[in-house]
Short mmCIF file of all heavy atoms in Angstrom, two decimals:
data_model
loop_
_atom_site.label_atom_id
_atom_site.label_comp_id
_atom_site.label_asym_id
_atom_site.label_seq_id
_atom_site.Cartn_x
_atom_site.Cartn_y
_atom_site.Cartn_z
N GLY A 3 55.61 -19.16 -3.37
CA GLY A 3 55.66 -20.60 -3.14
C GLY A 3 55.62 -21.37 -4.44
O GLY A 3 56.33 -22.35 -4.62
N LYS A 58 35.77 -42.47 -7.76
CA LYS A 58 36.59 -42.48 -6.56
C LYS A 58 36.98 -43.91 -6.17
O LYS A 58 36.18 -44.82 -6.20
CB LYS A 58 35.83 -41.83 -5.41
CG LYS A 58 36.82 -41.36 -4.38
CD LYS A 58 36.16 -40.94 -3.10
CE LYS A 58 37.25 -40.93 -2.04
NZ LYS A 58 36.73 -40.72 -0.71
N LYS A 118 23.51 -61.08 24.31
CA LYS A 118 23.29 -60.79 22.88
C LYS A 118 23.07 -62.10 22.16
O LYS A 118 23.86 -62.54 21.35
CB LYS A 118 24.48 -60.03 22.30
CG LYS A 118 24.54 -58.61 22.82
CD LYS A 118 25.43 -57.74 21.99
CE LYS A 118 25.39 -56.30 22.51
NZ LYS A 118 26.51 -55.51 21.99
N ARG A 176 37.24 -54.84 40.03
CA ARG A 176 37.29 -53.49 39.46
C ARG A 176 38.01 -52.52 40.41
O ARG A 176 38.84 -51.72 39.99
CB ARG A 176 35.89 -53.00 39.17
CG ARG A 176 35.90 -51.72 38.32
CD ARG A 176 34.65 -50.93 38.53
NE ARG A 176 33.48 -51.71 38.14
CZ ARG A 176 32.87 -51.58 36.97
NH1 ARG A 176 33.31 -50.71 36.11
NH2 ARG A 176 31.80 -52.30 36.70
N ARG A 234 34.08 -66.89 30.36
CA ARG A 234 33.23 -66.90 31.55
C ARG A 234 32.27 -68.08 31.52
O ARG A 234 32.13 -68.77 30.50
CB ARG A 234 32.51 -65.57 31.74
CG ARG A 234 31.25 -65.27 30.95
CD ARG A 234 31.28 -65.52 29.50
NE ARG A 234 30.30 -64.70 28.78
CZ ARG A 234 30.17 -64.70 27.49
NH1 ARG A 234 30.93 -65.48 26.72
NH2 ARG A 234 29.28 -63.96 26.90
N LEU A 255 34.85 -64.71 25.58
CA LEU A 255 34.40 -63.35 25.34
C LEU A 255 35.03 -62.88 24.03
O LEU A 255 35.94 -63.51 23.50
CB LEU A 255 34.87 -62.41 26.46
CG LEU A 255 34.05 -62.23 27.75
CD1 LEU A 255 32.56 -62.32 27.53
CD2 LEU A 255 34.50 -63.15 28.83
N TYR A 256 34.58 -61.76 23.57
CA TYR A 256 35.00 -61.22 22.28
C TYR A 256 36.51 -61.24 22.04
O TYR A 256 36.99 -61.73 21.02
CB TYR A 256 34.50 -59.78 22.13
CG TYR A 256 34.95 -59.13 20.85
CD1 TYR A 256 34.31 -59.40 19.65
CD2 TYR A 256 36.03 -58.25 20.83
CE1 TYR A 256 34.74 -58.82 18.46
CE2 TYR A 256 36.47 -57.67 19.64
CZ TYR A 256 35.81 -57.96 18.47
OH TYR A 256 36.24 -57.38 17.30
N LYS A 276 35.43 -48.01 15.31
CA LYS A 276 36.42 -47.52 16.26
C LYS A 276 36.10 -47.93 17.69
O LYS A 276 36.95 -47.79 18.58
CB LYS A 276 36.56 -46.02 16.14
CG LYS A 276 35.34 -45.22 16.53
CD LYS A 276 35.62 -43.74 16.37
CE LYS A 276 34.36 -42.94 16.64
NZ LYS A 276 34.55 -41.52 16.39
N LYS A 377 20.69 -42.57 -10.58
CA LYS A 377 21.46 -42.70 -11.81
C LYS A 377 21.35 -44.11 -12.39
O LYS A 377 21.28 -44.29 -13.60
CB LYS A 377 22.92 -42.35 -11.56
CG LYS A 377 23.12 -40.86 -11.69
CD LYS A 377 24.44 -40.36 -11.24
CE LYS A 377 24.32 -38.85 -11.07
NZ LYS A 377 25.24 -38.29 -10.13
N ARG A 385 8.82 -46.47 -17.66
CA ARG A 385 7.99 -45.37 -17.18
C ARG A 385 6.52 -45.72 -17.30
O ARG A 385 6.11 -46.29 -18.31
CB ARG A 385 8.26 -44.13 -18.02
CG ARG A 385 9.33 -43.21 -17.49
CD ARG A 385 10.68 -43.83 -17.43
NE ARG A 385 11.69 -42.80 -17.13
CZ ARG A 385 12.96 -43.04 -16.87
NH1 ARG A 385 13.41 -44.27 -16.85
NH2 ARG A 385 13.78 -42.05 -16.62
N ARG A 482 4.31 -25.69 -25.99
CA ARG A 482 5.67 -25.82 -25.51
C ARG A 482 6.26 -24.47 -25.11
O ARG A 482 6.84 -24.30 -24.06
CB ARG A 482 6.52 -26.44 -26.62
CG ARG A 482 7.90 -26.73 -26.19
CD ARG A 482 8.64 -27.38 -27.32
NE ARG A 482 10.00 -27.63 -26.92
CZ ARG A 482 10.86 -28.31 -27.64
NH1 ARG A 482 10.46 -28.81 -28.80
NH2 ARG A 482 12.07 -28.49 -27.23
N ARG A 531 6.78 -38.21 -12.78
CA ARG A 531 6.53 -37.06 -11.91
C ARG A 531 6.07 -37.49 -10.52
O ARG A 531 5.56 -36.69 -9.77
CB ARG A 531 5.48 -36.11 -12.52
CG ARG A 531 6.07 -35.23 -13.64
CD ARG A 531 5.01 -34.34 -14.28
NE ARG A 531 4.44 -33.39 -13.36
CZ ARG A 531 3.12 -33.32 -13.10
NH1 ARG A 531 2.28 -34.10 -13.72
NH2 ARG A 531 2.67 -32.42 -12.25
P U B 13 33.59 -37.78 5.87
OP1 U B 13 33.99 -38.97 6.64
OP2 U B 13 33.69 -36.44 6.48
"O5'" U B 13 34.42 -37.73 4.50
"C5'" U B 13 34.67 -38.93 3.79
"C4'" U B 13 35.17 -38.58 2.41
"O4'" U B 13 34.37 -37.50 1.86
"C3'" U B 13 36.59 -38.04 2.33
"O3'" U B 13 37.54 -39.09 2.35
"C2'" U B 13 36.57 -37.33 0.98
"O2'" U B 13 36.62 -38.25 -0.08
"C1'" U B 13 35.18 -36.70 1.01
N1 U B 13 35.19 -35.32 1.51
C2 U B 13 35.63 -34.33 0.63
O2 U B 13 35.99 -34.59 -0.49
N3 U B 13 35.61 -33.07 1.14
C4 U B 13 35.23 -32.68 2.40
O4 U B 13 35.28 -31.50 2.70
C5 U B 13 34.79 -33.76 3.25
C6 U B 13 34.79 -35.01 2.79
P G B 20 53.44 -28.87 0.45
OP1 G B 20 52.00 -29.07 0.21
OP2 G B 20 54.43 -29.85 0.03
"O5'" G B 20 53.86 -27.46 -0.18
"C5'" G B 20 52.98 -26.34 -0.06
"C4'" G B 20 53.50 -25.22 -0.93
"O4'" G B 20 54.85 -24.92 -0.53
"C3'" G B 20 53.53 -25.53 -2.42
"O3'" G B 20 52.71 -24.57 -3.03
"C2'" G B 20 55.01 -25.38 -2.82
"O2'" G B 20 55.10 -24.54 -4.00
"C1'" G B 20 55.58 -24.57 -1.69
N9 G B 20 56.97 -24.72 -1.29
C8 G B 20 57.76 -25.83 -1.21
N7 G B 20 58.94 -25.58 -0.71
C5 G B 20 58.93 -24.21 -0.46
C6 G B 20 59.91 -23.35 0.09
O6 G B 20 61.04 -23.64 0.51
N1 G B 20 59.49 -22.06 0.19
C2 G B 20 58.23 -21.61 -0.20
N2 G B 20 57.99 -20.33 -0.04
N3 G B 20 57.29 -22.39 -0.71
C4 G B 20 57.71 -23.67 -0.81
P U B 28 26.92 -35.47 -8.45
OP1 U B 28 26.12 -36.35 -9.32
OP2 U B 28 27.37 -34.16 -8.95
"O5'" U B 28 26.12 -35.20 -7.10
"C5'" U B 28 25.45 -36.28 -6.43
"C4'" U B 28 24.98 -35.83 -5.07
"O4'" U B 28 26.13 -35.39 -4.30
"C3'" U B 28 24.06 -34.61 -5.06
"O3'" U B 28 22.71 -34.98 -5.33
"C2'" U B 28 24.23 -34.13 -3.62
"O2'" U B 28 23.53 -34.96 -2.72
"C1'" U B 28 25.74 -34.35 -3.42
N1 U B 28 26.51 -33.13 -3.73
C2 U B 28 26.55 -32.15 -2.74
O2 U B 28 25.99 -32.28 -1.68
N3 U B 28 27.27 -31.03 -3.07
C4 U B 28 27.93 -30.79 -4.25
O4 U B 28 28.53 -29.74 -4.38
C5 U B 28 27.84 -31.85 -5.21
C6 U B 28 27.15 -32.96 -4.93
P U B 36 15.32 -29.91 -27.35
OP1 U B 36 15.20 -30.46 -28.70
OP2 U B 36 14.74 -28.58 -27.01
"O5'" U B 36 14.71 -30.96 -26.31
"C5'" U B 36 15.07 -32.34 -26.41
"C4'" U B 36 14.52 -33.08 -25.21
"O4'" U B 36 15.07 -32.53 -24.00
"C3'" U B 36 13.01 -32.93 -25.00
"O3'" U B 36 12.30 -33.85 -25.82
"C2'" U B 36 12.87 -33.26 -23.52
"O2'" U B 36 12.87 -34.65 -23.30
"C1'" U B 36 14.15 -32.65 -22.94
N1 U B 36 13.90 -31.31 -22.36
C2 U B 36 13.46 -31.25 -21.05
O2 U B 36 13.32 -32.24 -20.36
N3 U B 36 13.21 -29.99 -20.58
C4 U B 36 13.33 -28.81 -21.26
O4 U B 36 13.07 -27.75 -20.71
C5 U B 36 13.79 -28.95 -22.61
C6 U B 36 14.05 -30.16 -23.10
P U B 37 11.15 -33.35 -26.73
OP1 U B 37 10.94 -34.15 -27.95
OP2 U B 37 11.43 -31.92 -26.81
"O5'" U B 37 9.87 -33.60 -25.79
"C5'" U B 37 9.68 -32.76 -24.68
"C4'" U B 37 8.55 -33.29 -23.82
"O4'" U B 37 7.31 -33.16 -24.57
"C3'" U B 37 8.73 -34.76 -23.50
"O3'" U B 37 8.63 -34.92 -22.09
"C2'" U B 37 7.56 -35.47 -24.18
"O2'" U B 37 6.88 -36.38 -23.27
"C1'" U B 37 6.57 -34.34 -24.41
N1 U B 37 5.77 -34.50 -25.61
C2 U B 37 4.42 -34.72 -25.41
O2 U B 37 3.91 -34.78 -24.29
N3 U B 37 3.69 -34.88 -26.54
C4 U B 37 4.16 -34.81 -27.83
O4 U B 37 3.38 -34.95 -28.75
C5 U B 37 5.56 -34.57 -27.96
C6 U B 37 6.30 -34.44 -26.86
P U B 38 9.51 -34.56 -21.01
OP1 U B 38 9.64 -33.12 -20.77
OP2 U B 38 10.71 -35.38 -21.27
"O5'" U B 38 8.71 -35.20 -19.82
"C5'" U B 38 7.49 -34.62 -19.38
"C4'" U B 38 7.39 -34.79 -17.89
"O4'" U B 38 7.57 -36.19 -17.57
"C3'" U B 38 8.51 -34.05 -17.15
"O3'" U B 38 7.95 -32.81 -16.73
"C2'" U B 38 8.81 -34.94 -15.96
"O2'" U B 38 8.02 -34.58 -14.85
"C1'" U B 38 8.33 -36.33 -16.41
N1 U B 38 9.40 -37.30 -16.68
C2 U B 38 9.83 -38.04 -15.59
O2 U B 38 9.40 -37.88 -14.48
N3 U B 38 10.79 -38.96 -15.88
C4 U B 38 11.35 -39.22 -17.09
O4 U B 38 12.19 -40.10 -17.20
C5 U B 38 10.87 -38.39 -18.17
C6 U B 38 9.94 -37.48 -17.92
P C B 39 8.88 -31.56 -16.47
OP1 C B 39 8.00 -30.40 -16.56
OP2 C B 39 10.04 -31.71 -17.36
"O5'" C B 39 9.37 -31.65 -14.95
"C5'" C B 39 10.32 -30.70 -14.47
"C4'" C B 39 10.38 -30.85 -12.98
"O4'" C B 39 9.10 -30.49 -12.41
"C3'" C B 39 10.70 -32.26 -12.52
"O3'" C B 39 11.75 -32.22 -11.57
"C2'" C B 39 9.42 -32.75 -11.85
"O2'" C B 39 9.65 -33.52 -10.67
"C1'" C B 39 8.75 -31.45 -11.44
N1 C B 39 7.28 -31.53 -11.37
C2 C B 39 6.63 -30.73 -10.41
O2 C B 39 7.29 -29.98 -9.70
N3 C B 39 5.29 -30.80 -10.32
C4 C B 39 4.61 -31.61 -11.12
N4 C B 39 3.29 -31.63 -10.98
C5 C B 39 5.24 -32.43 -12.09
C6 C B 39 6.58 -32.36 -12.18
P G B 71 29.04 -35.96 20.58
OP1 G B 71 27.62 -36.30 20.43
OP2 G B 71 29.56 -35.51 21.89
"O5'" G B 71 29.94 -37.19 20.13
"C5'" G B 71 29.67 -37.85 18.91
"C4'" G B 71 30.78 -38.80 18.57
"O4'" G B 71 32.06 -38.09 18.56
"C3'" G B 71 31.03 -39.92 19.57
"O3'" G B 71 30.08 -40.95 19.42
"C2'" G B 71 32.43 -40.36 19.14
"O2'" G B 71 32.40 -41.07 17.93
"C1'" G B 71 33.10 -39.01 18.90
N9 G B 71 33.80 -38.53 20.10
C8 G B 71 33.43 -37.50 20.93
N7 G B 71 34.26 -37.30 21.91
C5 G B 71 35.25 -38.26 21.72
C6 G B 71 36.42 -38.54 22.47
O6 G B 71 36.84 -37.97 23.48
N1 G B 71 37.14 -39.60 21.92
C2 G B 71 36.78 -40.30 20.81
N2 G B 71 37.60 -41.29 20.44
N3 G B 71 35.68 -40.05 20.09
C4 G B 71 34.98 -39.03 20.60
P A B 75 33.67 -51.28 32.40
OP1 A B 75 32.57 -51.02 31.46
OP2 A B 75 33.58 -50.92 33.81
"O5'" A B 75 34.13 -52.80 32.39
"C5'" A B 75 33.86 -53.63 31.36
"C4'" A B 75 32.91 -54.71 31.84
"O4'" A B 75 31.57 -54.28 31.62
"C3'" A B 75 33.19 -55.96 31.02
"O3'" A B 75 33.51 -57.09 31.79
"C2'" A B 75 31.98 -56.06 30.08
"O2'" A B 75 31.51 -57.36 29.97
"C1'" A B 75 30.92 -55.15 30.71
N9 A B 75 30.29 -54.33 29.65
C8 A B 75 30.72 -53.14 29.14
N7 A B 75 29.94 -52.65 28.18
C5 A B 75 28.93 -53.60 28.08
C6 A B 75 27.79 -53.67 27.26
N6 A B 75 27.47 -52.76 26.36
N1 A B 75 26.98 -54.75 27.41
C2 A B 75 27.30 -55.69 28.31
N3 A B 75 28.35 -55.71 29.14
C4 A B 75 29.13 -54.62 28.97
P C B 77 29.60 -61.35 29.60
OP1 C B 77 28.44 -61.83 30.32
OP2 C B 77 30.41 -62.25 28.80
"O5'" C B 77 29.14 -60.12 28.71
"C5'" C B 77 29.94 -59.80 27.59
"C4'" C B 77 29.01 -59.54 26.44
"O4'" C B 77 28.59 -58.16 26.53
"C3'" C B 77 29.65 -59.64 25.08
"O3'" C B 77 29.65 -60.99 24.65
"C2'" C B 77 28.71 -58.78 24.25
"O2'" C B 77 27.51 -59.49 23.98
"C1'" C B 77 28.40 -57.64 25.23
N1 C B 77 29.26 -56.45 25.07
C2 C B 77 28.89 -55.48 24.11
O2 C B 77 27.87 -55.68 23.45
N3 C B 77 29.64 -54.39 23.96
C4 C B 77 30.74 -54.22 24.70
N4 C B 77 31.45 -53.11 24.52
C5 C B 77 31.15 -55.18 25.67
C6 C B 77 30.39 -56.28 25.81
P A B 78 30.85 -61.55 23.80
OP1 A B 78 30.61 -62.99 23.67
OP2 A B 78 32.14 -61.06 24.34
"O5'" A B 78 30.63 -60.84 22.40
"C5'" A B 78 29.52 -61.17 21.58
"C4'" A B 78 29.43 -60.15 20.48
"O4'" A B 78 29.32 -58.83 21.07
"C3'" A B 78 30.69 -60.05 19.62
"O3'" A B 78 30.67 -60.99 18.56
"C2'" A B 78 30.63 -58.61 19.11
"O2'" A B 78 29.73 -58.48 18.05
"C1'" A B 78 30.07 -57.89 20.33
N9 A B 78 31.12 -57.33 21.20
C8 A B 78 31.85 -57.96 22.16
N7 A B 78 32.71 -57.19 22.78
C5 A B 78 32.54 -55.96 22.18
C6 A B 78 33.15 -54.71 22.38
N6 A B 78 34.11 -54.50 23.29
N1 A B 78 32.76 -53.68 21.61
C2 A B 78 31.81 -53.89 20.70
N3 A B 78 31.14 -55.02 20.42
C4 A B 78 31.56 -56.03 21.19
#
Side-chain angles (χ1 to χ4, degrees):
Chain A
K58 202 191 162 188
K118 289 197 177 164
R176 191 205 299 261
R234 81 311 205 177
L255 273 326
Y256 177 80
K276 65 180 175 185
K377 274 170 196 154
R385 268 62 170 172
R482 185 178 178 174
R531 283 177 63 237

